[in-house]
Amino acid sequence: MEELESGRALQAVSALRYKSEMKIAKKARKLASPFEVRHGSSFRLKDCDPAGLQGMHSKEKAKQLLQESVAVLSEMQQKLYAQNQWALLLVIQAMDAAGKDSLVKHVMSGVNPQACEVASFKQPSAEELNHDYLWRTARHLPERGKIGIFNRSYYEEVLVVRVHQEFLARQHLPPRLVTKKIWKERYEDICAFEKYLTRNGIVIRKFFLNVSKEEQKRRFMERLDDPEKNWKFSEADVHERRYWDDYMQAYEDMVRHTATPHAPWYVVPADHKWFTHVTVSAAIIQTLQEMDLQPPKVDKERRKALDAASEALLKDNPKKDNPSNVRNT
């Protein structure tokens, strides 16, 4: 009788969790969809407002939704890990001070660290430059059942390398391969790479945190004025602001040429970090929801083994078997 009641209670809890998950997933689709780009041919960055809030003007409501989303994301991640079939790759690209690190910290706070890996890609090493440009990122692709986060990625090859084309000389490419078509060729290679990953069960979602030049300046000044944030500031960041327009053109072309239905871009407003966090969280939940994740089904043989283990545990009496409970006479 007790086992029957316990089973019913577990079913009730499971039903409540599912209902909550569906509710948050519905909100997620509504929040994330406006920023999704699946077909990039008509994309224009000038049409995207870095300070946009999509009608969500309450910071407190956004924080509450983020808290709920983190809990749901934790549940979904457990299903992803248990199912052990899919992997999820999250690519984050942005200008400096757009909030990449804080995004990972806040959105992934509830995820089991054993099933989530973050890889940051900065200036390539000598070893990495001696390989093809996809090599260093391919080594960090997530395993099945896990979430991988690329803080910057292979897209640097059509961003910073395009803005500073002198970097191409360090890649030891045969001169006849470095033509005017190289950026178009790299877009094609990246799209082919992402299609290959998708066909092998790695779901890809890409996020461009769209921060304004004015907000970037404000955050840089904050880093300079606050002694506890001085370590975050680099003189190179100021130097790169000179190339702002070049970077914006590179980002626009990147989205236009590599946004696909199987690996879409989300161009997320980044002037308000709290809105960025809740929007990216919504997009991740929407993606996991689309995977239709289910815990592994237990077959008859496995059920017998589990029932036997349960029966053995119920019969186990630690107090009776523990020698320390026997008095010395």
Side-chain angles (χ1 to χ4, degrees):
M1 188 67 179
E2 289 182 2
E3 291 181 7
L4 180 61
E5 291 298 324
S6 176
R8 287 175 177 172
L10 287 172
Q11 287 179 352
V13 170
S14 179
L16 284 173
R17 284 180 177 174
Y18 179 77
K19 186 177 181 180
S20 174
E21 185 177 301
M22 291 300 101
K23 183 179 178 181
I24 296 298
K26 186 176 180 180
K27 291 181 180 179
R29 277 193 299 273
K30 184 178 180 180
L31 182 58
S33 294
F35 306 106
E36 184 182 32
V37 183
R38 287 178 172 260
H39 302 280
S41 58
S42 62
F43 175 76
R44 295 291 182 274
L45 188 55
K46 66 180 182 180
D47 298 330
C48 304
D49 182 6
L53 296 175
Q54 194 61 25
M56 181 178 287
H57 299 287
S58 173
K59 188 175 181 179
E60 292 307 314
K61 286 185 178 180
K63 286 185 176 181
Q64 177 62 34
L65 180 56
L66 178 62
Q67 188 176 356
E68 295 171 356
S69 298
V70 167
V72 170
L73 182 56
S74 177
E75 292 284 337
M76 289 181 159
Q77 180 261 329
Q78 289 182 43
K79 292 179 183 179
L80 176 73
Y81 186 75
Q83 193 181 64
N84 196 36
Q85 294 179 354
W86 297 97
L88 176 59
L89 174 62
L90 307 175
V91 174
I92 304 173
Q93 291 289 158
M95 295 292 286
D96 294 309
K100 296 184 296 296
D101 294 335
S102 67
L103 171 68
V104 175
K105 177 182 176 182
H106 286 84
V107 173
M108 309 305 291
S109 59
V111 172
N112 184 344
Q114 289 184 320
C116 181
E117 299 175 355
V118 181
S120 297
F121 300 98
K122 298 185 179 180
Q123 185 172 342
S125 67
E127 181 186 18
E128 290 168 345
L129 289 170
N130 277 323
H131 288 81
D132 64 276
Y133 69 84
L134 289 172
W135 180 78
R136 69 170 181 159
T137 49
R139 298 164 67 203
H140 296 277
L141 289 170
E143 302 172 22
R144 299 194 188 282
K146 293 189 176 184
I147 298 175
I149 302 173
F150 283 0
N151 186 341
R152 302 190 190 277
S153 67
Y154 42 84
Y155 278 101
E156 292 294 288
E157 295 297 325
V158 292
L159 292 170
V160 65
V161 178
R162 179 177 172 180
V163 173
H164 298 284
Q165 296 189 23
E166 63 272 18
F167 291 169
L168 277 173
R170 303 177 188 176
Q171 297 185 0
H172 311 294
L173 292 169
R176 67 178 182 179
L177 297 182
V178 183
T179 69
K180 293 180 179 179
K181 296 180 180 179
I182 190 168
W183 311 117
K184 180 177 179 291
E185 292 168 348
R186 289 196 168 187
Y187 295 139
E188 292 172 351
D189 292 340
I190 288 171
C191 286
F193 178 63
E194 291 179 342
K195 177 160 281 191
Y196 163 78
L197 295 180
T198 301
R199 287 172 172 170
N200 281 272
I202 299 179
V203 177
I204 305 166
R205 293 296 181 266
K206 304 172 295 195
F207 301 90
F208 167 39
L209 308 188
N210 183 24
V211 70
S212 67
K213 192 175 183 180
E214 294 73 23
E215 177 61 17
Q216 187 197 56
K217 178 181 178 180
R218 189 193 68 77
R219 292 178 186 178
F220 281 164
M221 292 302 299
E222 187 179 70
R223 292 178 180 183
L224 288 168
D225 294 339
D226 185 348
E228 293 186 1
K229 293 184 177 181
N230 286 169
W231 64 274
K232 291 184 176 183
F233 184 79
S234 169
E235 289 80 356
D237 296 340
V238 176
H239 175 76
E240 289 301 287
R241 279 174 62 84
R242 302 176 189 174
Y243 303 95
W244 184 273
D245 291 342
D246 294 331
Y247 272 110
M248 293 304 102
Q249 185 61 57
Y251 274 110
E252 180 178 290
D253 289 345
M254 172 193 74
V255 175
R256 284 173 59 84
H257 289 90
T258 63
T260 61
H262 59 269
W265 277 101
Y266 288 84
V267 182
V268 184
D271 278 8
H272 303 283
K273 288 186 179 182
W274 55 270
F275 184 75
T276 306
H277 297 165
V278 74
T279 302
V280 172
S281 176
I284 298 171
I285 288 175
Q286 180 184 7
T287 302
L288 291 170
Q289 183 69 25
E290 291 170 355
M291 290 184 194
D292 190 27
L293 301 171
Q294 301 293 335
K297 292 183 178 180
V298 178
D299 58 28
K300 291 183 179 179
E301 291 301 316
R302 180 60 175 162
R303 173 49 59 193
K304 287 181 181 179
L306 293 175
D307 289 342
S310 177
E311 186 177 348
L313 286 170
L314 288 170
K315 290 179 179 179
D316 186 28
N317 190 339
K319 290 184 179 181
K320 182 177 179 181
D321 297 337
N322 191 345
S324 64
N325 290 325
V326 180
R327 293 184 179 178
N328 294 324
T329 56

